Amino acid sequence: MSDESTRVESLLKECAAVGLRRTTALEACLRVFASAEQPMTLQQIAAAPVFGVSCDPATIYRLVSRLEERRIVRRIGFHSRAAHYCLRESSHQDYLICRDCGSVEVLDIACPVEHLEKQIAEESGFSDIEHELEFFGRCATCQS
Amino acid sequence: MSDESTRVESLLKECAAVGLRRTTALEACLRVFASAEQPMTLQQIAAAPVFGVSCDPATIYRLVSRLEERRIVRRIGFHSRAAHYCLRESSHQDYLICRDCGSVEVLDIACPVEHLEKQIAEESGFSDIEHELEFFGRCATCQS
DNA sequence: TTAGATGCAAACGATTTGCGCGGAA
DNA sequence: TTCCGCGCAAATCGTTTGCATCTAA
């Protein structure tokens, strides 16, 4: 609650610092992200109850794009047609996705590849390396 | 060459074994996959010179979907809007993608997470687990 | 006052589906 | 002869963009 509000407040400061205006939509959007358990699609964000009925998809699209450019949110691929987004602030996460029902679980493991990034950067000449690791399988429910 | 033909031939046998008919499109499609250096999009496949001028995208879509269902090809997300596909036969690969120009490199590293799959399966109840690991960065060219 | 945001509507690109025809088995 | 696979055309879906209006700074 208050915990989440504090979080949103600090995110808003971060946004202000990178030149974003404090609009209703931004605030609502951050609130959605802060309370989300999992990465969300633009549609899911737009449909969240924080926005009265719902919000214009184009607005959400541009808003989230701005947040992604400023590196406040991270984009995740999964295998669905729609992209998913989550806050960058939380530490890096890896995911386990059911290829039948599409459910997403956040994996609670020490990410095993972070140390590889430096090595790969050196060998390839790439800079600013990040990674994305996903496991796909069939969840218990879908196996029956 | 002849090496590639042998490979295509063996893939065709595999296809026949899972109930696919030996059509011109299937053969051409497998040839494209066999000679591809990297995962390809449906569009790239459809535009390959092996198909006269080009092939109907719907045909490629259904063809590749069938191949994916039969587990002959694997689908890969990357972050582009279009999905990429590659043959499953080759051993598992991890990728390094430039987030500016979209170029794809196949990483020549021992994949560090394969041993995690069993552990994750046990803890989560998921079955048939596979993973996808991608590194994103800016390639040397895009840094200038 | 003014540059950045929003809403609405229309354009796009990548699938995805319906349907009638043709060819592999 | 039968059923799978193909091409064409149309529908979907998730963005992505143009433009006029609004508003935080």
Side-chain angles (χ1 to χ4, degrees):
Chain A
M1 270 317 110
S2 162
D3 180 40
E4 189 186 305
S5 299
T6 334
R7 211 167 154 204
V8 171
E9 208 48 51
S10 101
L11 284 167
L12 278 165
K13 278 203 192 84
E14 205 178 324
C15 289
V18 292
L20 296 182
R21 292 188 176 177
R22 182 180 187 127
T23 62
T24 326
L26 173 62
E27 207 169 320
C29 190
L30 290 177
R31 193 159 293 149
V32 173
F33 275 128
S35 62
E37 307 265 304
Q38 302 172 351
M40 308 191 62
T41 65
L42 297 182
Q43 253 195 39
Q44 294 172 328
I45 297 171
V50 217
F51 303 91
V53 185
S54 86
C55 182
D56 186 299
T59 298
I60 296 298
Y61 167 73
R62 280 184 279 221
L63 186 46
V64 174
S65 298
R66 281 192 296 268
L67 290 172
E68 193 195 356
E69 279 168 23
R70 318 287 156 108
R71 320 200 90 234
I72 292 172
V73 307
R74 167 200 307 283
R75 180 181 177 178
I76 302 180
F78 292 168
H79 267 182
S80 77
R81 201 148 131 195
H84 288 68
Y85 298 85
C86 65
L87 287 178
R88 218 171 239 285
E89 52 159 15
S90 44
S91 58
H92 177 82
Q93 294 177 326
D94 302 312
Y95 303 93
L96 175 57
I97 298 116
C98 174
R99 62 168 80 83
D100 285 357
C101 70
S103 70
V104 176
E105 285 187 27
V106 177
L107 284 177
D108 187 22
I109 54 172
C111 182
V113 294
E114 241 140 62
H115 69 281
L116 276 176
E117 294 185 349
K118 194 196 287 187
Q119 178 194 335
I120 290 174
E122 281 166 10
E123 290 174 6
S124 65
F126 275 54
S127 67
D128 302 306
I129 294 195
E130 295 184 325
H131 72 274
E132 191 172 320
L133 172 58
E134 283 142 34
F135 293 84
F136 295 92
R138 300 187 66 210
C139 74
T141 317
C142 287
Q143 286 174 50
S144 36
Chain B
M1 272 321 105
S2 164
D3 180 40
E4 188 185 306
S5 299
T6 334
R7 209 165 157 208
V8 170
E9 207 49 51
S10 104
L11 284 167
L12 279 166
K13 277 203 191 85
E14 204 179 323
C15 289
V18 292
L20 295 183
R21 292 187 176 175
R22 178 178 191 129
T23 62
T24 326
L26 173 62
E27 208 168 318
C29 190
L30 290 177
R31 193 158 295 151
V32 173
F33 275 128
S35 62
E37 306 266 305
Q38 303 173 348
M40 307 190 65
T41 66
L42 297 183
Q43 253 196 38
Q44 294 171 329
I45 297 170
V50 216
F51 302 93
V53 185
S54 87
C55 182
D56 186 301
T59 298
I60 296 297
Y61 166 73
R62 281 185 277 224
L63 186 47
V64 173
S65 299
R66 282 192 296 270
L67 290 173
E68 193 195 356
E69 279 168 22
R70 320 287 157 106
R71 321 201 90 234
I72 294 172
V73 306
R74 167 200 305 282
R75 180 181 177 180
I76 302 180
F78 293 167
H79 268 181
S80 78
R81 200 146 134 199
H84 288 69
Y85 299 85
C86 65
L87 287 178
R88 218 171 240 286
E89 51 160 15
S90 44
S91 59
H92 177 82
Q93 294 177 326
D94 302 313
Y95 303 94
L96 175 58
I97 299 116
C98 175
R99 61 168 81 83
D100 285 356
C101 70
S103 71
V104 177
E105 285 187 27
V106 177
L107 284 178
D108 187 23
I109 54 173
C111 182
V113 296
E114 240 140 62
H115 69 283
L116 276 175
E117 294 185 348
K118 194 196 284 185
Q119 178 194 335
I120 291 174
E122 281 167 10
E123 289 173 9
S124 65
F126 274 56
S127 66
D128 301 307
I129 293 195
E130 294 184 326
H131 73 273
E132 190 173 320
L133 172 58
E134 284 143 34
F135 293 85
F136 295 93
R138 301 187 66 210
C139 74
T141 316
C142 286
Q143 285 175 50
S144 34

